[in-house]
Structure formats: C-alpha cells, structure tokens
Amino acid sequence: MRFTVPGPRSLAGQLFAMQAVLIAVVVAGYALFTYVSDRSQAEDAARRQARAVARSVADSPSVLAATRTSDPTAELQPYALKVMRDTEVDFITIMDPRGIRWTHPDSNQIGQPFRGHTAKALKGETFDETYTGTLGPSVRAVTPIQDGKKVVGLVSAGIRVEEITQRVQDQLTALLGVAAGALALGAVGTYVINARLRRHTHGMNAAELSRMHDYHQAALHAVREGLLMLDGQYRVALINDGGRELLGVAGDVVGRSVAELGLPAPLTGALLASEPRVDEVHLTASRVLVINTSPVSGGERRGTVVTLRDVTELQSLMGELDSERGFTQALRSQAHEAANRLHTVVSLIELGRAEEAVEFATAELELAQALTDQVVAAVSEPVLAALLLGKTAQANERGVELMVSEDSRLDDGLLPESLPARDLVTILGNLIDNAVDAAQGSTRARVTVAAYTQDAEAAEGAAPELVMRVSDTGPGVDPEHAEAVFQRGFSTKPAGPGGRGLGLALVRQAVHRHGGTLSVTGADGGGAQFEVRLPLGRAAGGTSGDPARQGPAPADPAAALPLSAGPASRTSGGSTSKASGGDA
C-alpha cells in the first residue's frame, strides 16, 4: 500500500489554518472563562436571592402571628407555597426553634426535622450554605424569626444546585452559539483575505517564496545588463548593480523620482514616457546606452520595467568600421581612376606618343605624392594622417575641397597613451563628416582642418593642449542652437534609415571623457567652426616651446594646404553622423 506524503501548503493555506486555529482557541478560551465566571456569579446570585426571600418571610408580621397559634402549618404552608412561586425559589421551609418543619414543598416532610445547620440562626444570625437536603444539593439561607429578642422560629429558603446549573447551561448554550457565529465569521473573513493573498503569491509556500527571493537577488547582481523598475509615480522601485553603473548613480536611489537622478534630459524623457520604447539609443556622460521600456501589466498602470545595454564599445567599433568602409571605397575609386589613367598611358604609347605618355604618368605620380606629402608634413601622427587622406578622397567625391591649415603640426609619438587613437578618430572624423555634409552644395565648398598643440592659458607648468578645429562654408549654426546641436537627436535634416543626431553627441561625450572642451562659433566667411581642446600629459611638454608646434591656426582659410588637387573622381564612404550646420 502506497502512502502519499502531502506537500507543503501554500503560504495562504498555512496562514488560513493558523488563523482558524487561533480563532478557535480564543473563542474556546473565552467560552470556558465565561462558563466558570457565570457559574460563580449564578451561585452568588442564588445565595443573595435565598437570603432576601428568607429575610422577607421572617420579617412578615403574618408569619410571626402564625407562630403563636396552635397550628402554624395551616396558615404558613399556603403562604410559603405562594412565595415560592412568586420568588422562583425551590423551597421555603418554616420551622420551630427545634428544627421541626411547619412548611415544605413536599407535604409529607411537614413535621419532620430540618436537614441542615441552624446553630447560627438560633443565635440571631442569618447565614447561607450549600447542603444536601431532601430535594438534593441546594444553596440555602437560614434566618431567625424573632419576637423581640426571642427566636420563635426559623426560615430557610433555597435554590437547588441543579437549577443553578441549568441556568448556567442555558447561558452557555447562548454563548456557544455566539462563539460559533464568531468562529464562522472569522473563518469566512480569513478565507477571503487568504484567497487574495494566494492570488498575490501565486499559491507558493513560504519556502518557495524565500527561494524565489534568493534567486531574484542573485540574478539582479549577476546580470551585467542594467535593470530599472519604476512604480506608477515613476519612482525607482528597484535597480540592480548594472543599472547603477550604466546610469552613473550612487547611494540609495530607491523611492526617488527619475527626474531627481540627474540624468540627461532625453534619457529622463524616455524613462518618463508612458508609451513603450524599443532599442532607443541614448547618451550619458560617458556611455552610449540602448534602452527598452515596457509597462507592468495589470488593469491600472503599476509601473515600468526598463532594461539598459551598454553599446559604447559597439558604437565606437561601428564608427571605426564606417571609417574603414570609407577608406575601402576611396581605394576602390582610386583603383578605378588609376586603371583609367593606365589605359590612357597605354593608348598614348600605342598611338606613338611615348613622350606625352611619360609626361602624363609623371604628372599623376607627382600629384599623388604631393597629396601624401602635404598631409604627412602637417600631421605625421599615423592614425590622423590616414584619417585625413581617407576623408580627403570622400570629400573630393562629394565636390568638397578638404584643406589642412599650414600651421597644423602633430608629430608621431606626440600624443600620450591616455588619449587613444580611437577617440581621436571619433572626434575628428565626426567633425569632418558633419562639415563636409554642411559644405556640400555651397559656393566654393570647402572644409578647413587645423590640428596643433598649444600651451594652456593657465598657471606656469600647466600641461599643453591639443587643439583641433574644423570649419566649413555651409550655412552655419544658429546661435540659439549652439548648445542643442551637441544633444543626441538634434538635427535640421531629414532622418535617414539609421537616424540622425548622434555624431556631435558622441564627439562631446569623448571630449568630456578626456576633460576637454567643445565649442561652436561662426567661421570667417560664413559657415560653422567647431573647436576641440584636449589637455595633454607632460609628455608633450618638451615640444610646447617649438613655434612650429603651437599657436593658433591662421585666420585666413586661404592660407592652408589644399588636399583636393586633381580630378574629383574618388568615391566617398558612409559617415556615422552628419551634423555641422545644424545636424547633430
């Protein structure tokens, strides 16, 4: 025979059983206390009643007068029976001083000796006792009948113990009825409350809830993605370690409103939005985040669940990939152009014009070498030089002349390790892309780039700065938008499939990460001029005194090295953002 061991009850079931037992114990204890108390009170009431009846009969003038007659029973028996009925006592016995009964509810007991104590009454005292007489155990009172100071008779009035018990039982029955009603009402209320608790706990018992809480806490601390839960008033209800790190918040933020966390305005707006957000890109001071929001299901609005993913590295790699694609397309364009030129040389040779073929080929080689020499002479730092050469090909393909200022000078090895090449590509690449985008289509479309080191305007011994300045001939930036242009999502152009408004926001993020400054002003001759200043380590201090490596770029854009000589037949690559002249 198999026995099935019942599993642990749900938390609601355990609470219901505990509350039902508690109510039953309380009601039973109260009933027992009331029964004992009522019995004691009933006995006291019976004693008082018996004493009162006995004294009333003993003090009656008719009773005193009857004791003087030759046959007291003839007058006292009807009187005693009438008083018994009126006062609801079980017996009234009137006797002579010797204890011989004149009256009794059982007429056969008249003339028989009284069963009980009479000594105190014969001394003129009234007393009560519990005694077993002819009618069984009773609570009785005995008092003297006095003629002056002489005791001429005795009166005993009593109530049977059985009658007292019956009275208490009647009260106990009513009490048990009330207790049963209270128990039933408590059970119904407990069931209703626990049914609701069962719905909220999904029928789980205490052990399961404890285990789920442990898993919940472990999962919150284990996942690297950020998790943020908001209540119906957009206050932080829960945030895990990843969320604190990604949002850059510290301390106890639970219970605080999202608007009080000091997050960027676009990110705060997304968290406060009532509609769901899917894979939205937002920037904080040092990170690029993808957020998803979803309301908590259930009738009314109970809150919002927010997940956060860090795509800072991914965004940087995408920017580098876009730059590499641009370089590749530029190389393809140059390869195609070189093939056309090679065909031209071959055709000239076939036509017997060898001297013209040599002259054409030499001119092309000199042009290509001059372009490379100009860039490397101005910026010999390899990453920036490669970036400028690639951007030159892209700008030429789009009909924009890219120029490097004559005073630009960045030697290889000048930049400290704290300023990685990836951030320089992000900053300068996005500024050039936005400038080319803004200058395209303008008269004498041109973008001028300046890069040099300069002593900071600070106390003696301060570290020098890296200055990068990009100006264009586009429509410029409205002064009212001088700050908004750096915010993620700002753009004066139609959004493409990938969206707009990220380039300059990434530039500002990278600049702030290195403690630099970013500003936009109007360029000479129209257009916008973006300037970035990044503090360098003391590694560059030895070169800060070289005039060729410091000082502002020339005010005249014409005093720059053109990098766009030759046919504009190179193919441009895609840029990650387009922002100069109002596109961020």
Side-chain angles (χ1 to χ4, degrees):
M1 185 175 180
R2 307 177 92 186
F3 294 94
T4 303
V5 179
R9 287 186 174 184
S10 67
L11 179 61
Q14 294 177 17
L15 289 177
F16 174 75
M18 182 183 67
Q19 291 172 351
V21 170
L22 180 62
I23 292 175
V25 169
V26 170
V27 171
Y30 177 73
L32 178 61
F33 172 79
T34 303
Y35 173 77
V36 174
S37 177
D38 285 353
R39 183 176 182 84
S40 176
Q41 292 177 1
E43 290 183 358
D44 290 343
R47 292 177 189 275
R48 290 193 298 270
Q49 183 179 1
R51 290 173 72 100
V53 172
R55 287 303 311 161
S56 297
V57 172
D59 291 342
S60 174
S62 61
V63 172
L64 179 61
T67 60
R68 296 171 181 170
T69 64
S70 58
D71 187 12
T73 301
E75 296 183 13
L76 294 179
Q77 178 68 4
Y79 174 76
L81 294 177
K82 183 177 183 301
V83 173
M84 276 175 45
R85 291 191 299 269
D86 293 343
T87 58
E88 296 183 352
V89 295
D90 291 324
F91 67 88
I92 294 177
T93 299
I94 304 174
M95 66 200 86
D96 62 17
R98 296 172 300 168
I100 302 302
R101 300 187 182 100
W102 287 333
T103 66
H104 194 275
D106 183 3
S107 59
N108 295 326
Q109 298 294 328
I110 296 175
Q112 300 296 324
F114 174 72
R115 292 184 181 181
H117 302 95
T118 60
K120 291 183 180 181
L122 292 173
K123 295 179 181 180
E125 298 180 12
T126 300
F127 70 95
D128 55 70
E129 64 178 353
T130 301
Y131 196 85
T132 302
T134 58
L135 300 178
S138 63
V139 174
R140 62 181 64 180
V142 182
T143 188
I145 303 174
Q146 293 178 314
D147 186 4
K149 293 184 178 181
K150 180 180 179 182
V151 176
V152 295
L154 300 175
V155 178
S156 176
I159 300 174
R160 293 178 300 164
V161 173
E162 181 181 353
E163 180 64 23
I164 297 174
T165 303
Q166 184 62 41
R167 293 180 184 181
V168 174
Q169 287 179 348
D170 292 342
Q171 295 178 357
L172 181 61
T173 301
L175 175 63
L176 290 177
V178 174
L183 181 61
L185 182 62
V188 172
T190 301
Y191 177 80
V192 172
I193 294 174
N194 284 276
R196 182 174 182 180
L197 178 61
R198 189 181 299 110
R199 288 196 302 270
H200 287 302
T201 59
H202 301 284
M204 291 186 290
N205 57 43
E208 291 172 335
L209 288 174
S210 177
R211 185 165 57 251
M212 175 171 287
H213 176 268
D214 293 340
Y215 289 154
H216 173 265
Q217 291 297 319
L220 284 180
H221 293 289
V223 295
R224 296 184 59 188
E225 287 75 13
L227 179 63
L228 178 66
M229 294 185 182
L230 309 177
D231 62 17
Q233 284 71 45
Y234 298 99
R235 295 177 302 213
V236 178
L238 182 146
I239 183 171
N240 69 342
D241 296 342
R244 291 178 182 273
E245 181 180 357
L246 296 180
L247 294 178
V249 297
D252 187 10
V253 299
V254 175
R256 295 173 56 187
S257 173
V258 170
E260 300 175 358
L261 299 182
L263 302 176
L267 178 57
T268 301
L271 297 179
L272 293 176
S274 58
E275 67 277 0
R277 300 297 179 94
V278 180
D279 290 340
E280 278 197 4
V281 178
H282 288 272
L283 276 77
T284 63
S286 59
R287 299 179 185 273
V288 181
L289 303 178
V290 172
I291 73 167
N292 287 273
T293 66
S294 177
V296 178
S297 60
E300 77 260 4
R301 178 178 182 81
R302 298 184 180 178
T304 306
V305 177
V306 183
T307 58
L308 307 163
R309 285 180 291 146
D310 186 5
V311 294
T312 305
E313 292 294 325
L314 178 61
Q315 188 65 44
S316 179
L317 292 175
M318 289 178 61
E320 291 185 15
L321 178 59
D322 286 341
S323 297
E324 294 298 332
R325 286 175 179 171
F327 296 156
T328 302
Q329 292 177 0
L331 289 175
R332 288 176 181 174
S333 176
Q334 292 175 3
H336 181 71
E337 185 178 344
N340 289 336
R341 292 169 183 170
L342 181 58
H343 290 160
T344 301
V345 172
V346 172
S347 298
L348 288 174
I349 294 174
E350 290 177 349
L351 293 174
R353 297 175 179 267
E355 293 182 1
E356 295 181 11
V358 171
E359 182 180 353
F360 179 81
T362 303
E364 288 297 325
L365 287 175
E366 291 177 351
L367 181 61
Q369 187 62 42
L371 176 62
T372 303
D373 291 344
Q374 289 172 3
V375 172
V376 174
V379 181
S380 58
E381 206 287 325
V383 174
L384 293 184
L387 176 67
L388 289 174
L389 287 173
K391 294 300 181 182
T392 299
Q394 296 177 24
N396 288 340
E397 180 65 20
R398 299 175 64 181
V400 178
E401 181 182 17
L402 180 62
M403 307 179 68
V404 176
S405 172
E406 288 182 345
D407 285 352
S408 295
R409 180 93 177 167
L410 281 178
D411 289 342
D412 188 11
L414 179 65
L415 301 180
E417 294 182 358
S418 60
L419 190 60
R422 174 183 297 178
D423 288 345
L424 291 180
V425 170
T426 297
I427 295 172
L428 192 56
N430 277 286
L431 290 179
I432 293 176
D433 285 340
N434 283 278
V436 171
D437 204 29
Q440 186 178 10
S442 63
T443 304
R444 296 185 60 192
R446 182 174 65 251
V447 172
T448 305
V449 179
Y452 55 89
T453 60
Q454 183 182 49
D455 284 339
E457 296 179 1
E460 183 178 355
E465 294 178 331
L466 170 62
V467 180
M468 291 181 289
R469 185 180 297 115
V470 178
S471 57
D472 59 66
T473 58
V477 176
D478 190 333
E480 296 180 357
H481 299 156
E483 178 61 26
V485 73
F486 298 112
Q487 296 180 3
R488 187 258 185 269
F490 180 87
S491 177
T492 59
K493 302 178 182 180
R500 288 189 178 273
L502 187 60
L504 288 184
L506 289 174
V507 171
R508 183 172 68 169
Q509 184 187 76
V511 170
H512 287 179
R513 187 162 56 245
H514 294 286
T517 60
L518 172 63
S519 61
V520 58
T521 58
D524 294 338
Q529 177 176 283
F530 290 84
E531 182 179 87
V532 174
R533 290 180 175 269
L534 300 176
L536 299 177
R538 295 309 303 172
T543 64
S544 62
D546 186 355
R549 297 185 180 185
Q550 63 179 348
D556 184 6
L561 299 177
L563 302 182
S564 55
S569 58
R570 298 176 177 85
T571 304
S572 67
S575 60
T576 59
S577 62
K578 325 283 185 189
S580 179
D583 184 2

